[in-house]
């Protein structure tokens, strides 16, 4: 899986969001469950910052290329 970082972040964010009312002692609430579902869906369909392409053509950008991009932007400041 190319985008495991965003998927994991989305799922953890969804669990945390769904548990907010439980921690507050209110039990599960539909509003928080729906928000959690949206957060999880966004995490699943989002791409990691270092992935390009779509579907079977998705690939990771080489670290050397990313280093060049970050160096260019740090020199601008």
């Amino acid at each position: 899986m190319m985008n495991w970082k965003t998927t994991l972040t989305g799922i953890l964010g969804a669990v945390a969001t769904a548990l907010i009312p439980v921690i507050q002692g209110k039990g599960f609430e539909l509003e928080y469950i729906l928000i959690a579902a949206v957060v999880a869906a966004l995490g699943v369909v989002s791409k990691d910052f270092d992935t390009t392409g779509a579907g079977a053509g998705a690939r990771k950008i080489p670290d050397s290329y990313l280093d060049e991009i970050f160096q260019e932007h740090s020199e601008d400041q």
Side-chain angles (χ1 to χ4, degrees), residues 14-61:
V15 169
T17 302
L19 290 179
I20 288 172
V22 175
I23 293 169
Q24 294 175 344
K26 300 176 186 175
F28 288 104
E29 293 184 1
L30 181 61
E31 177 183 359
Y32 284 90
I33 299 220
L34 293 175
I35 292 170
V38 170
V39 170
L42 286 173
V44 170
V45 300
S46 297
K47 274 199 256 186
D48 291 348
F49 79 97
D50 61 348
T51 302
T52 186
R59 59 186 168 77
K60 291 289 187 183
I61 298 173

